[in-house]
Amino acid sequence: MNKTIFIILFSLFLTSCKKNKSKEEININTIAKLNIEKFSKLELITDFDLMITGLKEIHKGIYWYSTKEQFDSIVKIQRKQIKDSLNAVEFYNIAAPIISYTKEGHCNASLSEKTTDAIESNGKYLPFCIKTLNEQIYILNNYKNHKTQGLKFVSINGKPIKEITKEIFKRKFSDGNIENSKYKDLDDEWFSESYALDIEQPETFEIELSDSSNNNFTKININSVSYKEFIGECRKIWNTKPFNKSEPYLSLKTENSLAILNLNTFDNDDLKEDKLNFKKFISNSFEKIEKLKITDLIIDIRKNTGGTEGNEDFLFSFLMNNSYNKYKFVEASIFNFQNYINYTYEDDWIETEKDLKSEHKINSEGRFLRRKDIEKQEPIKETTFLGNVYILTSSSTYSGAAEFSSLMREHTNAIFIGEEVGGGYFGNTSGYGLDLILPNTEIEIHIPILQFVLDVEKGIFGRGVIPDFKITQTIKEHLNGIDAEMKFAKNKIE
């Protein structure tokens, strides 16, 4: 090769490397350069070790989905990443994967209000509102002169969207190995917020998009925006049809021999806002269903994230005509509250400690089990619905709603339509919890205390109830407010 040509080519190669390195360094350092408080390595190690001690002592289900050795291994890996002068977001990105690894959605972590306010004041965001469908991330809004509504992400700043979501999911909290609930956590403003916290905060974005069929691809370049402008873009969507549709927490509709029971919550506190009583509503609904000689019943719990314990088996008692046992056991962790009184809310821990001691008893094996007379199982009703039952579920079907789903799958012939349930089939760790506030970064870790183990066998460990018919909206249906799951259920009945 001619020496002059070689020098020119080598010079171009070095220039390219410098450019790539420069871009990579910018991406790595954008979160580090946020104008928020930094901490010494000692302060961060203190917070980290307190978090690990709290998780191991308080979280009863910490080793439900992994062994102690596996958990300790990830703790060791993450602890090595701590260095001097990290800010709260950088530390959160080290700590959150450990919370995620407990594989319990009721166990979660959140930044302090002070840190959140600081990020929102000077952070840089993608100006998009999002909807995830079938593990694809779609844009709901057009931005300025860019026709982006209905298009899905292929890559951002050269990184494939699958790699981006994989990185974000390390810091999302869900039950077992259920991944669709992590996708649900990206909806609306959460994808852009997660990208800003977990990936980078660049000045500009080079974005590759495609239509739903992957037939047409397009690239756009846009500048990042402030938090205020980003939320403004989301509000434009939230205030337009069909996204501004409001629904009651509870409703019953009847059409000839079909009844549709819509249950968006099991939480009595939510229902107080609408002056509703769950048990009274359910009793009245089934009385009406019997009177009208209904043969087909659709129960819609796609938006039901659970709530007050007991409401799920009160509903179940109208749908089951044989005796059953709900829980194998409910067990609390045994720990010394005094070790955490300086790191949590005083009123909370005093009340929680009192309730735990009154409701649980240590057995001969040293286990702290709930007494049999606490939260007694609802007896089966004399008259139960014996027609066809169709249950609409999604990844938002969680906690008590997931328990109801497991009971229906285990003991009835109900047909499930929609998405995999977001809560684990065999139970969860929830109920009472302790909010551990790390003293330096002020990150708050919610640690659940009670392990609820359902007396069921038919499920897949680490997964939720799998639907008989997996039905999810297309992006076109979503944008036009077409309820694909309900439409399928009605067609199935007809």
Side-chain angles (χ1 to χ4, degrees):
M1 181 185 288
N2 182 287
K3 185 176 180 181
T4 303
I5 294 173
F6 174 80
I7 291 170
I8 292 171
L9 290 174
F10 187 67
S11 175
L12 289 170
F13 171 75
L14 289 177
T15 302
S16 174
C17 287
K18 287 179 181 178
K19 285 181 178 179
N20 290 336
K21 184 179 179 183
S22 175
K23 185 175 181 179
E24 187 176 321
E25 285 177 348
I26 289 171
N27 291 347
I28 291 172
N29 293 329
T30 50
I31 293 173
K33 290 179 179 178
L34 284 170
N35 185 26
I36 54 179
E37 183 180 1
K38 297 181 185 296
F39 301 91
S40 69
K41 184 175 182 178
L42 178 60
E43 289 174 318
L44 297 172
I45 289 290
T46 299
D47 279 11
F48 186 89
D49 289 347
L50 174 63
M51 177 186 76
I52 300 304
T53 300
L55 286 170
K56 288 186 172 184
E57 291 186 356
I58 302 168
H59 193 322
K60 185 59 197 172
I62 193 169
Y63 303 127
W64 202 352
Y65 296 105
S66 64
T67 64
K68 182 180 183 302
E69 291 71 25
Q70 289 170 327
F71 184 79
D72 287 345
S73 177
I74 190 172
V75 168
K76 186 177 181 180
I77 291 169
Q78 296 304 105
R79 197 177 192 272
K80 284 183 177 179
Q81 297 180 36
I82 298 174
K83 57 186 178 181
D84 195 50
S85 296
L86 297 180
N87 61 39
V89 177
E90 292 174 291
F91 177 72
Y92 176 88
N93 285 338
I94 292 171
I98 295 173
I99 310 296
S100 178
Y101 197 69
T102 68
K103 298 186 178 183
E104 172 52 69
H106 291 92
C107 184
N108 50 67
S110 56
L111 293 165
S112 71
E113 187 176 342
K114 177 176 67 176
T115 301
T116 302
D117 289 344
I119 297 166
E120 291 178 0
S121 296
N122 57 67
K124 300 177 178 67
Y125 296 85
L126 279 159
F128 295 121
C129 193
I130 297 303
K131 178 64 181 178
T132 58
L133 297 165
N134 287 317
E135 299 185 359
Q136 303 293 325
I137 301 175
Y138 291 92
I139 297 174
L140 295 181
N141 59 307
N142 292 315
Y143 178 64
K144 293 188 175 178
N145 62 329
H146 299 289
K147 302 296 183 183
T148 51
Q149 188 182 61
L151 300 182
K152 62 181 180 180
F153 285 107
V154 176
S155 68
I156 302 175
N157 286 346
K159 184 174 286 190
I161 195 65
K162 285 290 185 184
E163 287 184 22
I164 292 170
T165 54
K166 184 178 179 180
E167 186 63 29
I168 290 173
F169 285 174
K170 291 178 183 177
R171 300 164 185 88
K172 292 292 181 186
F173 318 111
S174 67
D175 283 13
N177 303 311
I178 304 170
E179 197 164 86
N180 68 339
S181 60
K182 293 187 176 185
Y183 273 102
K184 184 71 73 175
D185 282 347
L186 301 180
D187 280 355
D188 297 320
E189 75 270 35
W190 296 110
F191 175 75
S192 292
E193 290 202 5
S194 297
Y195 190 95
L197 288 177
D198 303 339
I199 308 298
E200 59 174 338
Q201 296 205 8
E203 295 290 340
T204 60
F205 295 97
E206 182 182 274
I207 302 170
E208 185 178 11
L209 303 167
S210 78
D211 61 11
S212 58
S213 60
N214 287 329
N215 289 329
N216 297 297
F217 291 81
T218 184
K219 283 188 177 181
I220 63 172
N221 290 281
I222 59 172
N223 293 328
S224 60
V225 300
S226 68
Y227 182 80
K228 183 178 180 181
E229 184 177 347
F230 153 58
I231 289 296
E233 290 295 321
C234 290
R235 287 202 181 101
K236 290 177 186 176
I237 290 298
W238 297 334
N239 292 331
T240 59
K241 290 182 179 181
F243 308 108
N244 63 349
K245 181 182 177 183
S246 61
E247 297 179 11
Y249 282 120
L250 309 174
S251 65
L252 174 69
K253 297 177 182 177
T254 57
E255 304 171 8
N256 299 319
S257 61
L258 168 65
I260 301 172
L261 193 57
N262 190 47
L263 307 174
N264 287 328
T265 187
F266 286 151
D267 195 321
N268 287 343
D269 288 336
D270 287 342
L271 297 174
K272 283 179 184 177
E273 297 176 15
D274 287 358
K275 297 180 179 179
L276 287 170
N277 179 286
F278 183 83
K279 292 183 177 180
K280 185 176 180 181
F281 172 83
I282 294 298
S283 296
N284 291 341
S285 294
F286 278 97
E287 186 178 319
K288 184 175 182 180
I289 286 169
E290 183 183 9
K291 184 178 179 180
L292 294 175
K293 301 187 184 318
I294 296 295
T295 58
D296 296 284
L297 172 63
I298 297 174
I299 302 176
D300 187 352
I301 50 173
R302 286 174 290 177
K303 296 180 181 178
N304 192 319
T305 57
T308 305
E309 184 183 349
N311 282 342
E312 66 280 349
D313 50 304
F314 185 81
L315 169 63
F316 183 66
S317 70
F318 287 88
L319 299 161
M320 170 71 175
N321 59 356
N322 294 315
S323 61
Y324 76 104
N325 184 52
K326 183 180 180 184
Y327 293 123
K328 288 182 179 179
F329 60 84
V330 178
E331 185 172 2
S333 50
I334 301 174
F335 64 98
N336 188 348
F337 273 90
Q338 296 298 319
N339 294 336
Y340 300 96
I341 58 175
N342 294 322
Y343 310 113
T344 191
Y345 305 105
E346 184 178 7
D347 291 344
D348 286 355
W349 76 257
I350 290 174
E351 193 66 30
T352 298
E353 184 180 34
K354 178 183 174 183
D355 290 341
L356 284 172
K357 287 181 177 179
S358 67
E359 295 176 4
H360 297 74
K361 186 177 181 179
I362 298 178
N363 72 357
S364 59
E365 299 173 341
R367 298 172 64 190
F368 200 29
L369 297 174
R370 188 159 76 176
R371 297 194 343 246
K372 297 294 185 183
D373 59 331
I374 301 298
E375 295 290 349
K376 286 185 178 180
Q377 182 176 305
E378 186 70 27
I380 298 297
K381 300 295 178 287
E382 290 184 10
T383 303
T384 56
F385 179 74
L386 300 178
N388 302 312
V389 180
Y390 304 82
I391 303 177
L392 306 188
T393 59
S394 78
S395 54
S396 294
T397 307
Y398 191 66
S399 196
E403 290 186 357
F404 169 74
S405 300
S406 295
L407 293 173
M408 290 296 292
R409 170 66 88 205
E410 192 76 15
H411 299 290
T412 76
N413 294 318
I415 295 173
F416 286 80
I417 297 168
E419 299 175 336
E420 178 182 354
V421 167
Y425 189 95
F426 293 92
N428 56 74
T429 307
S430 58
Y432 294 114
L434 185 141
D435 294 312
L436 180 64
I437 303 168
L438 305 183
N440 298 302
T441 58
E442 297 180 25
I443 289 172
E444 186 171 316
I445 317 293
H446 180 77
I447 308 177
I449 296 172
L450 297 184
Q451 186 178 28
F452 296 83
V453 179
L454 290 168
D455 192 0
V456 292
E457 297 178 354
K458 293 181 180 178
I460 301 170
F461 186 69
R463 301 292 296 274
V465 171
I466 308 295
D468 300 287
F469 299 95
K470 182 183 177 183
I471 306 296
T472 306
Q473 286 177 313
T474 64
I475 185 60
K476 185 176 180 181
E477 286 171 330
H478 182 72
L479 292 171
N480 287 286
I482 297 171
D483 190 337
E485 297 96 321
M486 184 65 76
K487 182 179 178 181
F488 180 90
K490 288 183 176 181
N491 288 340
K492 184 75 178 169
I493 292 167
E494 290 174 3

